[in-house]
Amino acid sequence: MKIITQTNPDLNSNSKLVTRFLKKYQIGALLKACNAYKTKGFSVVSVFEYLLSIVFINRSMYMNYVTNHYCPEFKKDTVYRFMNSPKIHWQKFTTLLAAKVTNQSITRLTHESRENVLIIDDTLFERNRSKNVELLSRVFDHVKHRYTKGFRLLTLGWSDGNTFIPVAGSLLSSSNDKNLLNEAKGNLDNRSIAAKRRLQSKRKATTVMIELIKTALKSGISAKYVLFDTWFCSPSSLIAVKKTGIDAIAMAKKTSKVHYFFNGEKKSVKEIYTSCKKRRGRSRYLLSVDASVQKDDVIIPLKLVFVRNRNNRKDYLVLVTTDPTLSEDEVIRIYGKRWGIEVFFKVCKSYLKLTKSFRGLSFDAQTAYVAIVFTRYTVLSIENRFHIDERSIGELFYWACDELADITYQESYQLLVEIMLCAIQDVLRLDDDKVEDLLEKFVQNLPHMIKNNLKCCA
């Protein structure tokens, strides 16, 4: 994100950016709809605005109070009470905000044929130096190939291929007592929001994924497909996504434990690949077959597309979709939009301080901080879409030429002459013969280059 200032931040412009965003999308009303009420003192919106803006000044809240720089009117205990509130439904807030942003500012300005997608993935929410964090667990880090302390942040996002908007996030702990380091806070009513978010943290990621998708679709977010990688791709997950009323495009696992129905037999993707004839030449895909999956009495048709791995020419990747009507090129193109969530994770961790600047201990405070970081990214994503064009001046010149190529140079001259003659005929009341004489004299007095082009066009 180029609009994040690294040095010498302009506090006034950043503050105006956040304030404009809060007013445009009525953040106060959204917070109120999610049980964020003011009990006494300062308004909820003022505290929320301060937490959104603090990332742009390169100082923590503690240093702001110590140095009295960019220090708000309220005390830090007000911020702590706001963050630790168990009544605020932060997951609902980010979902409603994403629905409002996409429907109000993005989908209305794009063509109906554009494929809007939901993207699901998880990342490590590391709390490696913590000891007393609620529901802290041992999580395997697939980058460093070792266990660390923290959570899995399951994230659902929306994208149109150009702009990525985070929809909802869920911090997942561990249901295994061996990996769970701290228990959840007790004495909670199971009907309360605080208890429900703690119960959700111990469920499987595939189960929570379906819950997030259903909530997003119910809130009014429009999308045609759900994209996810091999970690969430299984026959049961594909069927569960299809039941929500939306199709899935995912990368299938190349394992002998997962089978698909192909030609009346249960086969893994490796067996399907070896039993079929591949396309020759430098095609975008090697093989495309129709298959199906079954669970209980539910049978769903699929399409498997085998794509050559760019990093290893001898290897291949397998894309699976629950929409068999899609062409192979469309499956590959749409799945490419999944990369937006990887950029989102990188920006949140490197610039928006997702895991480095937060030291809260309660599970409610951690959930609140995730929602605040998601909102920060939404602010920057909308600003980036409407105020920054990454194409260079030279590229913009050629794009403008292509956009204006619908009408030729000669045709534009003809249109101008016809408009002029119609205006003369209406004002001077000339008959057709005099208008033709006037046109001939006008053409004769034109330069030879323009005259020849007009005659060729005629």
Side-chain angles (χ1 to χ4, degrees):
M1 287 287 182
K2 297 181 181 179
I3 55 179
I4 301 179
T5 309
Q6 299 296 318
T7 58
N8 299 324
D10 187 354
L11 299 182
N12 292 328
S13 61
N14 292 333
S15 179
K16 291 179 181 178
L17 170 66
V18 174
T19 304
R20 185 170 63 249
F21 178 85
L22 296 177
K23 291 181 179 180
K24 181 177 181 180
Y25 298 106
Q26 300 176 344
I27 301 300
L30 293 180
L31 288 171
K32 187 176 181 180
C34 301
N35 299 329
Y37 294 99
K38 168 188 173 182
T39 56
K40 60 179 180 179
F42 296 90
S43 64
V44 173
V45 179
S46 62
V47 181
F48 188 74
E49 181 178 1
Y50 172 73
L51 291 172
L52 286 181
S53 305
I54 197 173
V55 72
F56 300 110
I57 62 177
N58 292 328
R59 294 190 186 186
S60 64
M61 184 180 68
Y62 171 77
M63 291 305 300
N64 286 338
Y65 281 104
V66 171
T67 60
N68 199 23
H69 174 74
Y70 196 63
C71 186
E73 297 179 357
F74 45 81
K75 300 298 182 182
K76 60 182 180 180
D77 291 340
T78 304
V79 179
Y80 294 151
R81 284 195 299 269
F82 176 74
M83 297 284 290
N84 288 291
S85 175
K87 299 180 180 180
I88 304 177
H89 200 330
W90 288 109
Q91 197 174 97
K92 179 181 178 182
F93 169 77
T94 55
T95 304
L96 293 178
L97 177 60
K100 197 174 187 66
V101 168
T102 55
N103 294 328
Q104 180 176 329
S105 300
I106 300 179
T107 55
R108 291 195 306 171
L109 303 177
T110 55
H111 198 271
E112 295 179 355
S113 62
R114 181 183 289 270
E115 297 88 356
N116 300 325
V117 297
L118 293 173
I119 309 172
I120 194 79
D121 202 357
D122 65 340
T123 187
L124 178 64
F125 188 87
E126 189 175 2
R127 296 296 302 272
N128 200 29
R129 297 185 179 182
S130 303
K131 296 181 179 179
N132 300 320
V133 176
E134 186 180 4
L135 287 175
L136 187 68
S137 63
R138 295 174 66 249
V139 183
F140 187 75
D141 188 352
H142 294 279
V143 177
K144 299 179 181 178
H145 299 285
R146 62 178 178 84
Y147 278 92
T148 184
K149 290 188 289 186
F151 303 88
R152 290 175 61 194
L153 177 56
L154 183 65
T155 303
L156 178 69
W158 178 95
S159 176
D160 64 344
N162 184 17
T163 302
F164 180 87
I165 301 295
V167 176
S170 179
L171 288 172
L172 301 181
S173 182
S174 177
S175 57
N176 189 352
D177 294 336
K178 295 181 179 179
N179 293 328
L180 189 63
L181 301 179
N182 294 324
E183 294 290 340
K185 182 170 60 176
N187 301 325
L188 292 174
D189 189 351
N190 291 333
R191 298 170 297 179
S192 64
I193 297 173
K196 289 180 180 179
R197 69 164 60 108
R198 285 164 173 79
L199 291 175
Q200 187 185 67
S201 68
K202 292 190 175 183
R203 287 199 282 269
K204 291 184 178 180
T206 52
T207 304
V208 180
M209 174 185 71
I210 302 301
E211 295 176 1
L212 297 181
I213 293 173
K214 289 181 178 179
T215 304
L217 296 177
K218 188 177 180 181
S219 65
I221 296 177
S222 61
K224 293 183 179 180
Y225 303 99
V226 179
L227 312 180
F228 45 88
D229 58 7
T230 56
W231 293 104
F232 303 93
C233 184
S234 65
S236 59
S237 299
L238 295 173
I239 293 175
V241 170
K242 184 68 175 181
K243 287 182 178 179
T244 62
I246 190 171
D247 288 300
I249 301 177
M251 185 172 291
K253 299 176 182 178
K254 293 191 297 182
T255 175
S256 59
K257 297 181 180 180
V258 179
H259 297 87
Y260 301 90
F261 284 97
F262 177 69
N263 291 337
E265 299 179 357
K266 276 188 174 182
K267 291 185 177 181
S268 63
V269 292
K270 291 183 178 180
E271 294 172 341
I272 294 174
Y273 182 77
T274 55
S275 63
C276 296
K277 184 179 180 180
K278 270 69 71 178
R279 291 167 59 91
R280 302 182 65 180
R282 302 183 65 180
S283 175
R284 291 192 67 185
Y285 64 96
L286 299 170
L287 176 66
S288 176
V289 298
D290 292 328
S292 62
V293 289
Q294 180 179 2
K295 183 179 181 182
D296 298 332
D297 297 333
V298 180
I299 300 177
I300 294 180
L302 305 173
K303 175 177 281 188
L304 297 173
V305 181
F306 296 78
V307 184
R308 183 179 284 108
N309 191 350
R310 292 182 179 180
N311 299 325
N312 186 0
R313 300 287 295 178
K314 297 181 180 180
D315 193 15
Y316 61 91
L317 306 173
V318 187
L319 299 181
V320 56
T321 177
T322 58
D323 185 6
T325 61
L326 278 177
S327 64
E328 291 77 11
D329 291 337
E330 286 293 298
V331 172
I332 299 171
R333 182 184 64 83
I334 295 174
Y335 187 76
K337 297 180 181 181
R338 199 198 71 85
W339 184 250
I341 199 168
E342 302 291 350
V343 178
F344 166 74
F345 288 146
K346 175 63 177 179
V347 172
C348 286
K349 290 184 177 181
S350 299
Y351 297 104
L352 301 183
K353 302 180 180 180
L354 177 62
T355 58
K356 294 183 179 180
S357 65
F358 179 68
R359 297 293 179 266
L361 300 181
S362 72
F363 193 72
D364 298 313
Q366 294 173 96
T367 306
Y369 186 72
V370 169
I372 290 170
V373 174
F374 280 18
T375 309
R376 290 172 181 170
Y377 188 90
T378 303
V379 174
L380 298 176
S381 186
I382 291 296
E383 188 73 10
N384 186 72
R385 182 182 179 95
F386 291 104
H387 297 282
I388 292 181
D389 197 328
E390 296 181 354
R391 299 176 293 183
S392 66
I393 299 299
E395 290 172 333
L396 283 175
F397 172 77
Y398 289 109
W399 275 80
C401 291
D402 294 337
E403 291 169 359
L404 294 175
D406 294 336
I407 180 171
T408 62
Y409 185 72
Q410 294 84 358
E411 290 173 343
S412 63
Y413 263 111
Q414 281 191 327
L415 288 175
L416 291 175
V417 171
E418 290 176 1
I419 294 172
M420 180 192 68
L421 293 178
C422 290
I424 291 174
Q425 193 171 13
D426 291 339
V427 174
L428 301 178
R429 304 295 180 181
L430 301 177
D431 55 9
D432 294 338
D433 295 334
K434 292 183 179 181
V435 171
E436 290 182 2
D437 294 338
L438 181 62
L439 178 60
E440 290 181 1
K441 292 181 180 180
F442 175 75
V443 173
Q444 290 177 359
N445 293 325
L446 289 175
H448 293 288
M449 180 186 68
I450 300 177
K451 187 190 304 183
N452 294 332
N453 288 333
L454 288 177
K455 288 181 180 180
C456 293
C457 182

Short mmCIF file of all heavy atoms in Angstrom, two decimals, residues 392-416:
data_model
loop_
_atom_site.label_atom_id
_atom_site.label_comp_id
_atom_site.label_asym_id
_atom_site.label_seq_id
_atom_site.Cartn_x
_atom_site.Cartn_y
_atom_site.Cartn_z
N SER A 392 1.36 3.70 -15.45
CA SER A 392 2.22 4.85 -15.73
C SER A 392 1.54 5.77 -16.74
O SER A 392 0.52 5.45 -17.34
CB SER A 392 3.57 4.37 -16.29
OG SER A 392 3.37 3.77 -17.55
N ILE A 393 2.15 6.96 -16.95
CA ILE A 393 1.59 7.92 -17.89
C ILE A 393 1.57 7.34 -19.31
O ILE A 393 0.61 7.52 -20.06
CB ILE A 393 2.40 9.23 -17.85
CG1 ILE A 393 2.32 9.84 -16.44
CG2 ILE A 393 1.88 10.22 -18.88
CD1 ILE A 393 0.91 10.20 -16.02
N GLY A 394 2.64 6.62 -19.66
CA GLY A 394 2.66 6.03 -21.00
C GLY A 394 1.57 5.00 -21.18
O GLY A 394 0.88 4.96 -22.21
N GLU A 395 1.35 4.16 -20.19
CA GLU A 395 0.28 3.17 -20.27
C GLU A 395 -1.08 3.85 -20.34
O GLU A 395 -1.98 3.41 -21.07
CB GLU A 395 0.36 2.24 -19.08
CG GLU A 395 1.57 1.31 -19.11
CD GLU A 395 1.70 0.53 -17.82
OE1 GLU A 395 1.24 1.03 -16.77
OE2 GLU A 395 2.26 -0.57 -17.86
N LEU A 396 -1.26 4.90 -19.55
CA LEU A 396 -2.53 5.61 -19.58
C LEU A 396 -2.80 6.21 -20.96
O LEU A 396 -3.95 6.27 -21.41
CB LEU A 396 -2.52 6.73 -18.53
CG LEU A 396 -2.71 6.29 -17.08
CD1 LEU A 396 -2.57 7.48 -16.16
CD2 LEU A 396 -4.07 5.64 -16.89
N PHE A 397 -1.72 6.66 -21.65
CA PHE A 397 -1.89 7.21 -23.00
C PHE A 397 -2.45 6.17 -23.96
O PHE A 397 -3.40 6.41 -24.70
CB PHE A 397 -0.55 7.75 -23.51
CG PHE A 397 -0.59 8.17 -24.95
CD1 PHE A 397 -1.18 9.37 -25.32
CD2 PHE A 397 -0.05 7.36 -25.94
CE1 PHE A 397 -1.23 9.76 -26.64
CE2 PHE A 397 -0.10 7.74 -27.26
CZ PHE A 397 -0.68 8.95 -27.61
N TYR A 398 -1.86 4.95 -23.90
CA TYR A 398 -2.33 3.92 -24.81
C TYR A 398 -3.71 3.42 -24.43
O TYR A 398 -4.52 3.07 -25.29
CB TYR A 398 -1.33 2.75 -24.84
CG TYR A 398 -0.05 3.11 -25.55
CD1 TYR A 398 1.13 3.27 -24.84
CD2 TYR A 398 -0.02 3.29 -26.93
CE1 TYR A 398 2.31 3.62 -25.48
CE2 TYR A 398 1.14 3.64 -27.58
CZ TYR A 398 2.31 3.79 -26.86
OH TYR A 398 3.46 4.13 -27.50
N TRP A 399 -3.99 3.37 -23.11
CA TRP A 399 -5.34 2.98 -22.68
C TRP A 399 -6.36 4.01 -23.18
O TRP A 399 -7.46 3.64 -23.62
CB TRP A 399 -5.40 2.88 -21.16
CG TRP A 399 -4.95 1.55 -20.64
CD1 TRP A 399 -3.67 1.13 -20.46
CD2 TRP A 399 -5.78 0.46 -20.23
NE1 TRP A 399 -3.64 -0.13 -19.97
CE2 TRP A 399 -4.92 -0.58 -19.82
CE3 TRP A 399 -7.14 0.28 -20.18
CZ2 TRP A 399 -5.42 -1.78 -19.36
CZ3 TRP A 399 -7.63 -0.94 -19.71
CH2 TRP A 399 -6.78 -1.96 -19.31
N ALA A 400 -6.02 5.29 -23.11
CA ALA A 400 -6.94 6.32 -23.59
C ALA A 400 -7.15 6.20 -25.09
O ALA A 400 -8.26 6.39 -25.60
CB ALA A 400 -6.41 7.71 -23.24
N CYS A 401 -6.08 5.87 -25.82
CA CYS A 401 -6.22 5.70 -27.27
C CYS A 401 -7.14 4.52 -27.59
O CYS A 401 -7.98 4.59 -28.50
CB CYS A 401 -4.85 5.47 -27.92
SG CYS A 401 -3.79 6.93 -27.88
N ASP A 402 -7.01 3.43 -26.82
CA ASP A 402 -7.87 2.27 -27.06
C ASP A 402 -9.32 2.59 -26.74
O ASP A 402 -10.24 2.11 -27.41
CB ASP A 402 -7.40 1.08 -26.23
CG ASP A 402 -6.04 0.59 -26.69
OD1 ASP A 402 -5.68 0.85 -27.85
OD2 ASP A 402 -5.34 -0.04 -25.88
N GLU A 403 -9.54 3.36 -25.67
CA GLU A 403 -10.90 3.69 -25.29
C GLU A 403 -11.56 4.63 -26.30
O GLU A 403 -12.78 4.62 -26.49
CB GLU A 403 -10.92 4.33 -23.90
CG GLU A 403 -10.55 3.35 -22.79
CD GLU A 403 -10.30 4.03 -21.47
OE1 GLU A 403 -10.40 5.29 -21.45
OE2 GLU A 403 -10.01 3.36 -20.49
N LEU A 404 -10.75 5.47 -26.97
CA LEU A 404 -11.29 6.40 -27.97
C LEU A 404 -11.30 5.83 -29.38
O LEU A 404 -11.67 6.52 -30.32
CB LEU A 404 -10.46 7.69 -27.97
CG LEU A 404 -10.54 8.53 -26.69
CD1 LEU A 404 -9.59 9.71 -26.79
CD2 LEU A 404 -11.97 9.03 -26.45
N ALA A 405 -10.91 4.59 -29.54
CA ALA A 405 -10.82 4.00 -30.87
C ALA A 405 -12.15 3.53 -31.42
O ALA A 405 -12.22 2.97 -32.50
CB ALA A 405 -9.85 2.82 -30.86
N ASP A 406 -13.24 3.75 -30.67
CA ASP A 406 -14.55 3.35 -31.16
C ASP A 406 -14.98 4.19 -32.36
O ASP A 406 -15.81 3.76 -33.15
CB ASP A 406 -15.59 3.48 -30.05
CG ASP A 406 -15.33 2.49 -28.92
OD1 ASP A 406 -14.68 1.47 -29.21
OD2 ASP A 406 -15.75 2.74 -27.79
N ILE A 407 -14.48 5.40 -32.50
CA ILE A 407 -14.84 6.27 -33.61
C ILE A 407 -13.55 6.73 -34.30
O ILE A 407 -12.60 7.14 -33.65
CB ILE A 407 -15.66 7.48 -33.12
CG1 ILE A 407 -16.04 8.38 -34.29
CG2 ILE A 407 -14.93 8.26 -32.04
CD1 ILE A 407 -17.02 9.47 -33.91
N THR A 408 -13.52 6.64 -35.64
CA THR A 408 -12.30 6.98 -36.38
C THR A 408 -12.20 8.48 -36.59
O THR A 408 -13.14 9.25 -36.36
CB THR A 408 -12.29 6.27 -37.73
OG1 THR A 408 -13.41 6.73 -38.50
CG2 THR A 408 -12.39 4.76 -37.55
N TYR A 409 -11.01 8.88 -37.10
CA TYR A 409 -10.76 10.30 -37.37
C TYR A 409 -11.69 10.83 -38.46
O TYR A 409 -12.25 11.92 -38.35
CB TYR A 409 -9.29 10.45 -37.79
CG TYR A 409 -8.83 11.87 -37.98
CD1 TYR A 409 -8.63 12.70 -36.89
CD2 TYR A 409 -8.56 12.36 -39.26
CE1 TYR A 409 -8.20 14.01 -37.07
CE2 TYR A 409 -8.12 13.66 -39.44
CZ TYR A 409 -7.94 14.48 -38.34
OH TYR A 409 -7.52 15.76 -38.51
N GLN A 410 -11.88 10.07 -39.54
CA GLN A 410 -12.74 10.49 -40.64
C GLN A 410 -14.20 10.55 -40.21
O GLN A 410 -14.94 11.46 -40.59
CB GLN A 410 -12.58 9.53 -41.83
CG GLN A 410 -11.21 9.56 -42.48
CD GLN A 410 -10.22 8.64 -41.76
OE1 GLN A 410 -10.57 8.03 -40.76
NE2 GLN A 410 -9.00 8.58 -42.28
N GLU A 411 -14.63 9.55 -39.42
CA GLU A 411 -16.03 9.54 -38.98
C GLU A 411 -16.34 10.73 -38.09
O GLU A 411 -17.45 11.28 -38.13
CB GLU A 411 -16.33 8.24 -38.25
CG GLU A 411 -16.35 7.01 -39.14
CD GLU A 411 -16.49 5.72 -38.35
OE1 GLU A 411 -16.24 5.76 -37.13
OE2 GLU A 411 -16.84 4.71 -38.94
N SER A 412 -15.36 11.14 -37.28
CA SER A 412 -15.60 12.30 -36.42
C SER A 412 -15.79 13.57 -37.25
O SER A 412 -16.63 14.42 -36.93
CB SER A 412 -14.42 12.48 -35.46
OG SER A 412 -13.23 12.75 -36.17
N TYR A 413 -15.01 13.71 -38.37
CA TYR A 413 -15.20 14.86 -39.26
C TYR A 413 -16.59 14.84 -39.89
O TYR A 413 -17.26 15.88 -40.00
CB TYR A 413 -14.13 14.85 -40.36
CG TYR A 413 -12.95 15.75 -40.06
CD1 TYR A 413 -11.70 15.22 -39.79
CD2 TYR A 413 -13.12 17.13 -40.06
CE1 TYR A 413 -10.63 16.04 -39.52
CE2 TYR A 413 -12.03 17.95 -39.79
CZ TYR A 413 -10.79 17.41 -39.51
OH TYR A 413 -9.75 18.23 -39.23
N GLN A 414 -17.01 13.68 -40.31
CA GLN A 414 -18.33 13.58 -40.92
C GLN A 414 -19.44 13.96 -39.94
O GLN A 414 -20.40 14.64 -40.31
CB GLN A 414 -18.56 12.16 -41.43
CG GLN A 414 -17.87 11.88 -42.77
CD GLN A 414 -18.32 10.56 -43.36
OE1 GLN A 414 -18.61 9.62 -42.63
NE2 GLN A 414 -18.36 10.49 -44.68
N LEU A 415 -19.32 13.49 -38.72
CA LEU A 415 -20.32 13.84 -37.71
C LEU A 415 -20.37 15.34 -37.47
O LEU A 415 -21.45 15.93 -37.36
CB LEU A 415 -20.01 13.09 -36.40
CG LEU A 415 -20.29 11.58 -36.40
CD1 LEU A 415 -19.83 10.98 -35.08
CD2 LEU A 415 -21.76 11.30 -36.63
N LEU A 416 -19.21 15.97 -37.39
CA LEU A 416 -19.18 17.42 -37.17
C LEU A 416 -19.81 18.18 -38.34
O LEU A 416 -20.55 19.15 -38.14
CB LEU A 416 -17.73 17.88 -36.95
CG LEU A 416 -17.07 17.44 -35.64
CD1 LEU A 416 -15.59 17.86 -35.63
CD2 LEU A 416 -17.78 18.03 -34.44
#
